[in-house]
């Protein structure tokens, strides 16, 4: 039997992306996000307009989509409540957000330059997609924008390639970090507790996994 309800959050499960971009002062930025989908060589990214990354993409017209595996959950979680935008709206301050420009250091990730774009890659991420912005579309009613980007160069960890192929990622070997209703999952299992879920005061039912 189905129940008609007022769903507060519609995050049913998508891969996490760390968007590398350049701030206006030339420093690097790294934003965790998960409203992303791909078609052919295009990707559409849903970004809140108050994020520094949205401003960077509008100004620079390029970015790197760094895809973490589930092993990088701690690096992603360390970035969860950080913003490079010095102007933090009050509701975000209440959620625990704070200003930080040294995102690579905060995540413990290594910055490497893009080859075709100025935006930074995260060396530890097994997949890094250099992209150029193709179009932007304002989403209705909620101060968000859909950025359509085109992949211009893909860097993929060799061990993830289908043996004998330079064109295909092995779907069995690739274990993306998945964000589902603000919680982190890898290989179908819930991972460590999520600061995003805590900041959003998500009513999770599962106890946090035991520390190892
Ligand atoms: C796992 C995860 C997924 C997120 N997904 C999105 C998203 O899809 N779109 C978005 O605008 N913000 C998303 N956020 C929130 C941004 O990371 C947050 O607004 C961040 O402060 C933006 O950084 P910036 O202002 O330096 O660009 C997500 C955060 C986490 C931890």
């Amino acid at each position: 039997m189905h129940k008609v309800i007022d769903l507060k959050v519609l995050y049913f499960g998508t891969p996490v992306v760390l968007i590398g971009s350049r701030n206006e002062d030339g420093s690097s930025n790294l934003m965790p996000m998960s409203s992303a989908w791909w078609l052919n060589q295009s990707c559409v990214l849903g970004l809140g307009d108050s994020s520094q990354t949205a401003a960077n993409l509008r100004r620079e017209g390029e970015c790197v989509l760094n895809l973490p595996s589930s092993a990088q959950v701690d690096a992603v979680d360390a970035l969860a409540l950080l913003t490079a935008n010095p102007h933090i709206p009050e509701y975000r301050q209440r959620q625990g957000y704070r200003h930080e420009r040294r995102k690579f250091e905060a995540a413990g990730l290594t910055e490497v330059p893009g080859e075709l774009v100025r935006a930074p890659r995260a060396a530890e991420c097994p997949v890094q997609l250099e992209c150029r912005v193709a179009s932007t579309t304002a989403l209705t009613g909620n101060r968000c924008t859909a950025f359509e980007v085109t992949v211009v160069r893909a860097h993929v960890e060799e061990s993830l390639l289908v043996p004998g192929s330079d064109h295909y990622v092995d779907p069995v070997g690739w274990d993306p970090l998945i964000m589902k209703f603000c919680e982190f999952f890898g290989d179908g299992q819930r991972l460590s507790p999520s600061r995003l879920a805590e900041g959003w005061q998500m009513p999770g039912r599962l106890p946090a996994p035991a520390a190892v």
Side-chain angles (χ1 to χ4, degrees), residues 9-17 32-36 68 70 73 76-77 80 176-186 189 191 194-197 200 202:
V9 175
L10 296 169
Y11 299 162
F12 290 98
T14 41
V16 173
V17 180
M33 61 84 69
S34 57
S35 306
S70 67
V73 62
V76 172
D77 194 50
L177 178 61
I178 299 292
M179 203 276 275
K180 201 163 38 155
F181 292 100
C182 295
E183 297 284 357
F184 294 118
F185 285 74
Q189 301 300 311
L191 303 172
S194 146
R195 285 178 219 211
L196 190 71
W200 285 41
M202 293 292 283

PDB file of all heavy atoms in Angstrom, residues 9-17 32-36 68 70 73 76-77 80 176-186 189 191 194-197 200 202:
ATOM      1  N   VAL A   9      12.595  15.855   1.538  1.00  0.00           N
ATOM      2  CA  VAL A   9      13.864  15.702   0.831  1.00  0.00           C
ATOM      3  C   VAL A   9      13.696  14.629  -0.238  1.00  0.00           C
ATOM      4  O   VAL A   9      13.069  13.591   0.010  1.00  0.00           O
ATOM      5  CB  VAL A   9      14.984  15.293   1.836  1.00  0.00           C
ATOM      6  CG1 VAL A   9      16.288  15.020   1.102  1.00  0.00           C
ATOM      7  CG2 VAL A   9      15.208  16.389   2.875  1.00  0.00           C
ATOM      8  N   LEU A  10      14.219  14.886  -1.428  1.00  0.00           N
ATOM      9  CA  LEU A  10      14.063  13.945  -2.546  1.00  0.00           C
ATOM     10  C   LEU A  10      15.411  13.382  -2.994  1.00  0.00           C
ATOM     11  O   LEU A  10      15.614  13.094  -4.167  1.00  0.00           O
ATOM     12  CB  LEU A  10      13.374  14.653  -3.724  1.00  0.00           C
ATOM     13  CG  LEU A  10      11.950  15.129  -3.459  1.00  0.00           C
ATOM     14  CD1 LEU A  10      11.464  16.053  -4.571  1.00  0.00           C
ATOM     15  CD2 LEU A  10      10.998  13.950  -3.337  1.00  0.00           C
ATOM     16  N   TYR A  11      16.332  13.230  -2.063  1.00  0.00           N
ATOM     17  CA  TYR A  11      17.665  12.725  -2.415  1.00  0.00           C
ATOM     18  C   TYR A  11      17.663  11.199  -2.344  1.00  0.00           C
ATOM     19  O   TYR A  11      18.057  10.599  -1.349  1.00  0.00           O
ATOM     20  CB  TYR A  11      18.732  13.295  -1.465  1.00  0.00           C
ATOM     21  CG  TYR A  11      18.845  14.803  -1.486  1.00  0.00           C
ATOM     22  CD1 TYR A  11      19.469  15.484  -0.450  1.00  0.00           C
ATOM     23  CD2 TYR A  11      18.345  15.545  -2.560  1.00  0.00           C
ATOM     24  CE1 TYR A  11      19.581  16.865  -0.469  1.00  0.00           C
ATOM     25  CE2 TYR A  11      18.461  16.923  -2.578  1.00  0.00           C
ATOM     26  CZ  TYR A  11      19.076  17.577  -1.527  1.00  0.00           C
ATOM     27  OH  TYR A  11      19.185  18.943  -1.543  1.00  0.00           O
ATOM     28  N   PHE A  12      17.244  10.556  -3.451  1.00  0.00           N
ATOM     29  CA  PHE A  12      17.062   9.108  -3.438  1.00  0.00           C
ATOM     30  C   PHE A  12      18.365   8.331  -3.596  1.00  0.00           C
ATOM     31  O   PHE A  12      18.391   7.129  -3.373  1.00  0.00           O
ATOM     32  CB  PHE A  12      16.070   8.700  -4.530  1.00  0.00           C
ATOM     33  CG  PHE A  12      14.666   9.142  -4.205  1.00  0.00           C
ATOM     34  CD1 PHE A  12      14.136  10.296  -4.745  1.00  0.00           C
ATOM     35  CD2 PHE A  12      13.907   8.407  -3.308  1.00  0.00           C
ATOM     36  CE1 PHE A  12      12.854  10.709  -4.413  1.00  0.00           C
ATOM     37  CE2 PHE A  12      12.625   8.808  -2.971  1.00  0.00           C
ATOM     38  CZ  PHE A  12      12.097   9.965  -3.522  1.00  0.00           C
ATOM     39  N   GLY A  13      19.443   9.021  -3.992  1.00  0.00           N
ATOM     40  CA  GLY A  13      20.735   8.340  -4.113  1.00  0.00           C
ATOM     41  C   GLY A  13      21.438   8.681  -5.411  1.00  0.00           C
ATOM     42  O   GLY A  13      21.003   8.267  -6.480  1.00  0.00           O
ATOM     43  N   THR A  14      22.525   9.444  -5.299  1.00  0.00           N
ATOM     44  CA  THR A  14      23.319   9.842  -6.470  1.00  0.00           C
ATOM     45  C   THR A  14      24.795   9.850  -6.061  1.00  0.00           C
ATOM     46  O   THR A  14      25.112   9.998  -4.879  1.00  0.00           O
ATOM     47  CB  THR A  14      22.928  11.269  -6.946  1.00  0.00           C
ATOM     48  OG1 THR A  14      22.731  12.090  -5.807  1.00  0.00           O
ATOM     49  CG2 THR A  14      21.679  11.267  -7.796  1.00  0.00           C
ATOM     50  N   PRO A  15      25.704   9.703  -7.036  1.00  0.00           N
ATOM     51  CA  PRO A  15      27.126   9.731  -6.678  1.00  0.00           C
ATOM     52  C   PRO A  15      27.564  11.097  -6.197  1.00  0.00           C
ATOM     53  O   PRO A  15      27.047  12.126  -6.661  1.00  0.00           O
ATOM     54  CB  PRO A  15      27.841   9.374  -7.981  1.00  0.00           C
ATOM     55  CG  PRO A  15      26.837   9.358  -9.048  1.00  0.00           C
ATOM     56  CD  PRO A  15      25.473   9.485  -8.460  1.00  0.00           C
ATOM     57  N   VAL A  16      28.505  11.113  -5.274  1.00  0.00           N
ATOM     58  CA  VAL A  16      29.077  12.375  -4.801  1.00  0.00           C
ATOM     59  C   VAL A  16      30.132  12.841  -5.811  1.00  0.00           C
ATOM     60  O   VAL A  16      30.880  12.038  -6.365  1.00  0.00           O
ATOM     61  CB  VAL A  16      29.725  12.190  -3.412  1.00  0.00           C
ATOM     62  CG1 VAL A  16      30.474  13.453  -2.982  1.00  0.00           C
ATOM     63  CG2 VAL A  16      28.671  11.827  -2.379  1.00  0.00           C
ATOM     64  N   VAL A  17      30.153  14.151  -6.059  1.00  0.00           N
ATOM     65  CA  VAL A  17      31.152  14.773  -6.925  1.00  0.00           C
ATOM     66  C   VAL A  17      31.857  15.850  -6.107  1.00  0.00           C
ATOM     67  O   VAL A  17      31.196  16.581  -5.356  1.00  0.00           O
ATOM     68  CB  VAL A  17      30.482  15.442  -8.154  1.00  0.00           C
ATOM     69  CG1 VAL A  17      31.525  16.095  -9.049  1.00  0.00           C
ATOM     70  CG2 VAL A  17      29.649  14.437  -8.939  1.00  0.00           C
ATOM     71  N   PRO A  32      31.773  19.522  -2.261  1.00  0.00           N
ATOM     72  CA  PRO A  32      31.038  18.266  -2.399  1.00  0.00           C
ATOM     73  C   PRO A  32      29.620  18.555  -2.873  1.00  0.00           C
ATOM     74  O   PRO A  32      28.971  19.478  -2.372  1.00  0.00           O
ATOM     75  CB  PRO A  32      31.020  17.692  -0.979  1.00  0.00           C
ATOM     76  CG  PRO A  32      31.445  18.776  -0.066  1.00  0.00           C
ATOM     77  CD  PRO A  32      31.914  19.942  -0.861  1.00  0.00           C
ATOM     78  N   MET A  33      29.161  17.773  -3.818  1.00  0.00           N
ATOM     79  CA  MET A  33      27.774  17.905  -4.271  1.00  0.00           C
ATOM     80  C   MET A  33      27.318  16.560  -4.837  1.00  0.00           C
ATOM     81  O   MET A  33      28.146  15.683  -5.100  1.00  0.00           O
ATOM     82  CB  MET A  33      27.623  19.037  -5.294  1.00  0.00           C
ATOM     83  CG  MET A  33      28.402  18.885  -6.563  1.00  0.00           C
ATOM     84  SD  MET A  33      27.577  17.868  -7.792  1.00  0.00           S
ATOM     85  CE  MET A  33      26.204  18.907  -8.243  1.00  0.00           C
ATOM     86  N   SER A  34      26.024  16.411  -4.989  1.00  0.00           N
ATOM     87  CA  SER A  34      25.554  15.113  -5.497  1.00  0.00           C
ATOM     88  C   SER A  34      24.336  15.231  -6.407  1.00  0.00           C
ATOM     89  O   SER A  34      23.760  14.214  -6.764  1.00  0.00           O
ATOM     90  CB  SER A  34      25.260  14.167  -4.328  1.00  0.00           C
ATOM     91  OG  SER A  34      24.319  14.754  -3.481  1.00  0.00           O
ATOM     92  N   SER A  35      23.952  16.466  -6.766  1.00  0.00           N
ATOM     93  CA  SER A  35      22.853  16.611  -7.731  1.00  0.00           C
ATOM     94  C   SER A  35      23.464  16.662  -9.122  1.00  0.00           C
ATOM     95  O   SER A  35      23.578  17.733  -9.728  1.00  0.00           O
ATOM     96  CB  SER A  35      22.057  17.887  -7.438  1.00  0.00           C
ATOM     97  OG  SER A  35      21.631  17.885  -6.102  1.00  0.00           O
ATOM     98  N   ALA A  36      23.893  15.504  -9.604  1.00  0.00           N
ATOM     99  CA  ALA A  36      24.615  15.448 -10.884  1.00  0.00           C
ATOM    100  C   ALA A  36      24.146  14.251 -11.692  1.00  0.00           C
ATOM    101  O   ALA A  36      23.888  13.184 -11.124  1.00  0.00           O
ATOM    102  CB  ALA A  36      26.115  15.336 -10.633  1.00  0.00           C
ATOM    103  N   PRO A  68      34.882  10.822  -6.016  1.00  0.00           N
ATOM    104  CA  PRO A  68      35.503  10.019  -4.962  1.00  0.00           C
ATOM    105  C   PRO A  68      34.911   8.616  -4.937  1.00  0.00           C
ATOM    106  O   PRO A  68      33.730   8.419  -5.257  1.00  0.00           O
ATOM    107  CB  PRO A  68      35.139  10.784  -3.688  1.00  0.00           C
ATOM    108  CG  PRO A  68      33.887  11.534  -4.021  1.00  0.00           C
ATOM    109  CD  PRO A  68      33.887  11.767  -5.504  1.00  0.00           C
ATOM    110  N   SER A  70      34.068   5.208  -2.419  1.00  0.00           N
ATOM    111  CA  SER A  70      33.549   5.160  -1.042  1.00  0.00           C
ATOM    112  C   SER A  70      34.693   5.255  -0.025  1.00  0.00           C
ATOM    113  O   SER A  70      34.473   5.668   1.110  1.00  0.00           O
ATOM    114  CB  SER A  70      32.727   3.891  -0.824  1.00  0.00           C
ATOM    115  OG  SER A  70      33.560   2.768  -0.883  1.00  0.00           O
ATOM    116  N   VAL A  73      35.283   8.713   1.877  1.00  0.00           N
ATOM    117  CA  VAL A  73      34.148   9.299   2.603  1.00  0.00           C
ATOM    118  C   VAL A  73      34.595  10.330   3.644  1.00  0.00           C
ATOM    119  O   VAL A  73      33.946  11.371   3.820  1.00  0.00           O
ATOM    120  CB  VAL A  73      33.256   8.192   3.243  1.00  0.00           C
ATOM    121  CG1 VAL A  73      34.018   7.379   4.270  1.00  0.00           C
ATOM    122  CG2 VAL A  73      31.997   8.792   3.860  1.00  0.00           C
ATOM    123  N   VAL A  76      35.370  13.718   2.086  1.00  0.00           N
ATOM    124  CA  VAL A  76      34.142  14.410   1.680  1.00  0.00           C
ATOM    125  C   VAL A  76      33.430  14.973   2.903  1.00  0.00           C
ATOM    126  O   VAL A  76      33.003  16.134   2.920  1.00  0.00           O
ATOM    127  CB  VAL A  76      33.208  13.451   0.895  1.00  0.00           C
ATOM    128  CG1 VAL A  76      31.855  14.104   0.634  1.00  0.00           C
ATOM    129  CG2 VAL A  76      33.868  13.025  -0.415  1.00  0.00           C
ATOM    130  N   ASP A  77      33.335  14.163   3.947  1.00  0.00           N
ATOM    131  CA  ASP A  77      32.624  14.613   5.147  1.00  0.00           C
ATOM    132  C   ASP A  77      33.327  15.807   5.791  1.00  0.00           C
ATOM    133  O   ASP A  77      32.665  16.697   6.341  1.00  0.00           O
ATOM    134  CB  ASP A  77      32.498  13.460   6.148  1.00  0.00           C
ATOM    135  CG  ASP A  77      31.492  13.782   7.240  1.00  0.00           C
ATOM    136  OD1 ASP A  77      30.369  14.202   6.894  1.00  0.00           O
ATOM    137  OD2 ASP A  77      31.832  13.648   8.427  1.00  0.00           O
ATOM    138  N   ALA A  80      31.997  18.929   4.355  1.00  0.00           N
ATOM    139  CA  ALA A  80      30.537  19.047   4.274  1.00  0.00           C
ATOM    140  C   ALA A  80      29.996  20.411   4.697  1.00  0.00           C
ATOM    141  O   ALA A  80      29.080  20.923   4.072  1.00  0.00           O
ATOM    142  CB  ALA A  80      29.887  17.942   5.096  1.00  0.00           C
ATOM    143  N   PRO A 176      31.470   3.927  -6.371  1.00  0.00           N
ATOM    144  CA  PRO A 176      31.285   5.362  -6.110  1.00  0.00           C
ATOM    145  C   PRO A 176      30.753   5.620  -4.707  1.00  0.00           C
ATOM    146  O   PRO A 176      30.036   4.800  -4.152  1.00  0.00           O
ATOM    147  CB  PRO A 176      30.233   5.767  -7.156  1.00  0.00           C
ATOM    148  CG  PRO A 176      29.497   4.520  -7.482  1.00  0.00           C
ATOM    149  CD  PRO A 176      30.486   3.390  -7.320  1.00  0.00           C
ATOM    150  N   LEU A 177      31.130   6.769  -4.155  1.00  0.00           N
ATOM    151  CA  LEU A 177      30.524   7.214  -2.898  1.00  0.00           C
ATOM    152  C   LEU A 177      29.136   7.759  -3.235  1.00  0.00           C
ATOM    153  O   LEU A 177      28.990   8.644  -4.083  1.00  0.00           O
ATOM    154  CB  LEU A 177      31.389   8.311  -2.264  1.00  0.00           C
ATOM    155  CG  LEU A 177      30.840   8.900  -0.964  1.00  0.00           C
ATOM    156  CD1 LEU A 177      30.704   7.847   0.128  1.00  0.00           C
ATOM    157  CD2 LEU A 177      31.737  10.036  -0.473  1.00  0.00           C
ATOM    158  N   ILE A 178      28.132   7.184  -2.595  1.00  0.00           N
ATOM    159  CA  ILE A 178      26.741   7.560  -2.889  1.00  0.00           C
ATOM    160  C   ILE A 178      26.176   8.365  -1.719  1.00  0.00           C
ATOM    161  O   ILE A 178      26.379   8.011  -0.554  1.00  0.00           O
ATOM    162  CB  ILE A 178      25.874   6.288  -3.087  1.00  0.00           C
ATOM    163  CG1 ILE A 178      26.381   5.456  -4.269  1.00  0.00           C
ATOM    164  CG2 ILE A 178      24.390   6.641  -3.249  1.00  0.00           C
ATOM    165  CD1 ILE A 178      26.206   6.080  -5.632  1.00  0.00           C
ATOM    166  N   MET A 179      25.460   9.451  -2.049  1.00  0.00           N
ATOM    167  CA  MET A 179      24.751  10.216  -1.017  1.00  0.00           C
ATOM    168  C   MET A 179      23.257   9.927  -1.146  1.00  0.00           C
ATOM    169  O   MET A 179      22.675  10.104  -2.203  1.00  0.00           O
ATOM    170  CB  MET A 179      25.006  11.719  -1.204  1.00  0.00           C
ATOM    171  CG  MET A 179      24.807  12.509   0.076  1.00  0.00           C
ATOM    172  SD  MET A 179      23.096  12.910   0.319  1.00  0.00           S
ATOM    173  CE  MET A 179      22.968  14.391  -0.633  1.00  0.00           C
ATOM    174  N   LYS A 180      22.699   9.402  -0.064  1.00  0.00           N
ATOM    175  CA  LYS A 180      21.293   9.015  -0.045  1.00  0.00           C
ATOM    176  C   LYS A 180      20.659   9.679   1.162  1.00  0.00           C
ATOM    177  O   LYS A 180      21.057   9.408   2.292  1.00  0.00           O
ATOM    178  CB  LYS A 180      21.234   7.482   0.061  1.00  0.00           C
ATOM    179  CG  LYS A 180      19.967   6.890  -0.394  1.00  0.00           C
ATOM    180  CD  LYS A 180      20.005   5.386  -0.678  1.00  0.00           C
ATOM    181  CE  LYS A 180      20.782   4.466   0.178  1.00  0.00           C
ATOM    182  NZ  LYS A 180      20.302   3.082   0.169  1.00  0.00           N
ATOM    183  N   PHE A 181      19.700  10.583   0.918  1.00  0.00           N
ATOM    184  CA  PHE A 181      19.032  11.285   2.023  1.00  0.00           C
ATOM    185  C   PHE A 181      20.041  11.803   3.055  1.00  0.00           C
ATOM    186  O   PHE A 181      19.879  11.616   4.261  1.00  0.00           O
ATOM    187  CB  PHE A 181      17.964  10.391   2.668  1.00  0.00           C
ATOM    188  CG  PHE A 181      16.812  10.146   1.735  1.00  0.00           C
ATOM    189  CD1 PHE A 181      16.719   8.965   1.011  1.00  0.00           C
ATOM    190  CD2 PHE A 181      15.858  11.121   1.530  1.00  0.00           C
ATOM    191  CE1 PHE A 181      15.691   8.758   0.116  1.00  0.00           C
ATOM    192  CE2 PHE A 181      14.819  10.931   0.638  1.00  0.00           C
ATOM    193  CZ  PHE A 181      14.732   9.755  -0.070  1.00  0.00           C
ATOM    194  N   CYS A 182      21.113  12.453   2.528  1.00  0.00           N
ATOM    195  CA  CYS A 182      22.158  13.102   3.332  1.00  0.00           C
ATOM    196  C   CYS A 182      23.099  12.129   4.040  1.00  0.00           C
ATOM    197  O   CYS A 182      23.972  12.566   4.794  1.00  0.00           O
ATOM    198  CB  CYS A 182      21.583  14.106   4.350  1.00  0.00           C
ATOM    199  SG  CYS A 182      20.781  15.509   3.566  1.00  0.00           S
ATOM    200  N   GLU A 183      22.935  10.822   3.836  1.00  0.00           N
ATOM    201  CA  GLU A 183      23.844   9.840   4.450  1.00  0.00           C
ATOM    202  C   GLU A 183      24.739   9.232   3.368  1.00  0.00           C
ATOM    203  O   GLU A 183      24.346   9.147   2.204  1.00  0.00           O
ATOM    204  CB  GLU A 183      23.047   8.715   5.132  1.00  0.00           C
ATOM    205  CG  GLU A 183      22.171   9.183   6.283  1.00  0.00           C
ATOM    206  CD  GLU A 183      22.944   9.484   7.559  1.00  0.00           C
ATOM    207  OE1 GLU A 183      24.172   9.275   7.584  1.00  0.00           O
ATOM    208  OE2 GLU A 183      22.309   9.940   8.524  1.00  0.00           O
ATOM    209  N   PHE A 184      25.934   8.791   3.777  1.00  0.00           N
ATOM    210  CA  PHE A 184      26.910   8.230   2.837  1.00  0.00           C
ATOM    211  C   PHE A 184      26.778   6.717   2.726  1.00  0.00           C
ATOM    212  O   PHE A 184      26.701   6.017   3.746  1.00  0.00           O
ATOM    213  CB  PHE A 184      28.335   8.549   3.308  1.00  0.00           C
ATOM    214  CG  PHE A 184      28.667  10.008   3.273  1.00  0.00           C
ATOM    215  CD1 PHE A 184      28.996  10.687   4.435  1.00  0.00           C
ATOM    216  CD2 PHE A 184      28.645  10.716   2.078  1.00  0.00           C
ATOM    217  CE1 PHE A 184      29.307  12.038   4.411  1.00  0.00           C
ATOM    218  CE2 PHE A 184      28.953  12.070   2.047  1.00  0.00           C
ATOM    219  CZ  PHE A 184      29.279  12.735   3.214  1.00  0.00           C
ATOM    220  N   PHE A 185      26.814   6.207   1.474  1.00  0.00           N
ATOM    221  CA  PHE A 185      26.767   4.770   1.216  1.00  0.00           C
ATOM    222  C   PHE A 185      27.861   4.385   0.234  1.00  0.00           C
ATOM    223  O   PHE A 185      28.233   5.175  -0.646  1.00  0.00           O
ATOM    224  CB  PHE A 185      25.396   4.362   0.632  1.00  0.00           C
ATOM    225  CG  PHE A 185      24.289   4.326   1.655  1.00  0.00           C
ATOM    226  CD1 PHE A 185      23.742   5.498   2.151  1.00  0.00           C
ATOM    227  CD2 PHE A 185      23.820   3.119   2.139  1.00  0.00           C
ATOM    228  CE1 PHE A 185      22.747   5.474   3.117  1.00  0.00           C
ATOM    229  CE2 PHE A 185      22.819   3.076   3.100  1.00  0.00           C
ATOM    230  CZ  PHE A 185      22.280   4.255   3.597  1.00  0.00           C
ATOM    231  N   GLY A 186      28.382   3.174   0.387  1.00  0.00           N
ATOM    232  CA  GLY A 186      29.339   2.606  -0.564  1.00  0.00           C
ATOM    233  C   GLY A 186      29.024   1.140  -0.694  1.00  0.00           C
ATOM    234  O   GLY A 186      28.784   0.467   0.321  1.00  0.00           O
ATOM    235  N   GLN A 189      26.208  -0.297   1.353  1.00  0.00           N
ATOM    236  CA  GLN A 189      26.259  -0.258   2.823  1.00  0.00           C
ATOM    237  C   GLN A 189      26.392   1.171   3.318  1.00  0.00           C
ATOM    238  O   GLN A 189      27.086   1.983   2.706  1.00  0.00           O
ATOM    239  CB  GLN A 189      27.472  -1.044   3.345  1.00  0.00           C
ATOM    240  CG  GLN A 189      27.503  -2.501   2.938  1.00  0.00           C
ATOM    241  CD  GLN A 189      26.282  -3.256   3.440  1.00  0.00           C
ATOM    242  OE1 GLN A 189      25.933  -3.164   4.618  1.00  0.00           O
ATOM    243  NE2 GLN A 189      25.625  -3.969   2.526  1.00  0.00           N
ATOM    244  N   LEU A 191      27.958   4.083   5.370  1.00  0.00           N
ATOM    245  CA  LEU A 191      29.322   4.329   5.838  1.00  0.00           C
ATOM    246  C   LEU A 191      29.284   5.144   7.125  1.00  0.00           C
ATOM    247  O   LEU A 191      28.287   5.118   7.845  1.00  0.00           O
ATOM    248  CB  LEU A 191      30.125   5.030   4.732  1.00  0.00           C
ATOM    249  CG  LEU A 191      30.182   4.248   3.389  1.00  0.00           C
ATOM    250  CD1 LEU A 191      30.808   5.090   2.301  1.00  0.00           C
ATOM    251  CD2 LEU A 191      30.953   2.948   3.552  1.00  0.00           C
ATOM    252  N   SER A 194      27.343  11.280   8.808  1.00  0.00           N
ATOM    253  CA  SER A 194      27.477  12.396   7.881  1.00  0.00           C
ATOM    254  C   SER A 194      27.185  13.723   8.572  1.00  0.00           C
ATOM    255  O   SER A 194      26.140  13.886   9.204  1.00  0.00           O
ATOM    256  CB  SER A 194      26.490  12.165   6.727  1.00  0.00           C
ATOM    257  OG  SER A 194      25.965  13.360   6.238  1.00  0.00           O
ATOM    258  N   ARG A 195      28.128  14.680   8.449  1.00  0.00           N
ATOM    259  CA  ARG A 195      27.918  16.019   9.039  1.00  0.00           C
ATOM    260  C   ARG A 195      26.752  16.721   8.368  1.00  0.00           C
ATOM    261  O   ARG A 195      26.061  17.526   8.981  1.00  0.00           O
ATOM    262  CB  ARG A 195      29.163  16.869   8.855  1.00  0.00           C
ATOM    263  CG  ARG A 195      30.275  16.480   9.801  1.00  0.00           C
ATOM    264  CD  ARG A 195      31.510  17.314   9.556  1.00  0.00           C
ATOM    265  NE  ARG A 195      32.664  16.441   9.697  1.00  0.00           N
ATOM    266  CZ  ARG A 195      33.847  16.816  10.122  1.00  0.00           C
ATOM    267  NH1 ARG A 195      34.081  18.067  10.420  1.00  0.00           N
ATOM    268  NH2 ARG A 195      34.828  15.967  10.239  1.00  0.00           N
ATOM    269  N   LEU A 196      26.539  16.446   7.058  1.00  0.00           N
ATOM    270  CA  LEU A 196      25.435  17.093   6.348  1.00  0.00           C
ATOM    271  C   LEU A 196      24.106  16.678   6.988  1.00  0.00           C
ATOM    272  O   LEU A 196      23.247  17.513   7.268  1.00  0.00           O
ATOM    273  CB  LEU A 196      25.453  16.705   4.866  1.00  0.00           C
ATOM    274  CG  LEU A 196      24.499  17.484   3.979  1.00  0.00           C
ATOM    275  CD1 LEU A 196      24.979  18.922   3.798  1.00  0.00           C
ATOM    276  CD2 LEU A 196      24.325  16.822   2.619  1.00  0.00           C
ATOM    277  N   ALA A 197      23.962  15.383   7.241  1.00  0.00           N
ATOM    278  CA  ALA A 197      22.723  14.887   7.853  1.00  0.00           C
ATOM    279  C   ALA A 197      22.538  15.500   9.234  1.00  0.00           C
ATOM    280  O   ALA A 197      21.421  15.840   9.638  1.00  0.00           O
ATOM    281  CB  ALA A 197      22.765  13.367   7.941  1.00  0.00           C
ATOM    282  N   TRP A 200      21.527  19.209   8.842  1.00  0.00           N
ATOM    283  CA  TRP A 200      20.140  19.288   8.363  1.00  0.00           C
ATOM    284  C   TRP A 200      19.145  18.692   9.354  1.00  0.00           C
ATOM    285  O   TRP A 200      17.956  18.675   9.109  1.00  0.00           O
ATOM    286  CB  TRP A 200      20.007  18.544   7.036  1.00  0.00           C
ATOM    287  CG  TRP A 200      20.583  19.236   5.853  1.00  0.00           C
ATOM    288  CD1 TRP A 200      21.756  19.926   5.775  1.00  0.00           C
ATOM    289  CD2 TRP A 200      20.008  19.300   4.543  1.00  0.00           C
ATOM    290  NE1 TRP A 200      21.947  20.403   4.506  1.00  0.00           N
ATOM    291  CE2 TRP A 200      20.886  20.032   3.725  1.00  0.00           C
ATOM    292  CE3 TRP A 200      18.838  18.799   3.977  1.00  0.00           C
ATOM    293  CZ2 TRP A 200      20.636  20.292   2.382  1.00  0.00           C
ATOM    294  CZ3 TRP A 200      18.588  19.041   2.644  1.00  0.00           C
ATOM    295  CH2 TRP A 200      19.478  19.787   1.847  1.00  0.00           C
ATOM    296  N   MET A 202      18.534  15.552   9.981  1.00  0.00           N
ATOM    297  CA  MET A 202      17.777  14.494   9.314  1.00  0.00           C
ATOM    298  C   MET A 202      17.376  13.433  10.333  1.00  0.00           C
ATOM    299  O   MET A 202      18.195  13.016  11.162  1.00  0.00           O
ATOM    300  CB  MET A 202      18.623  13.855   8.211  1.00  0.00           C
ATOM    301  CG  MET A 202      18.924  14.789   7.064  1.00  0.00           C
ATOM    302  SD  MET A 202      17.473  15.214   6.099  1.00  0.00           S
ATOM    303  CE  MET A 202      17.279  13.718   5.134  1.00  0.00           C
TER     304      MET A 202
END
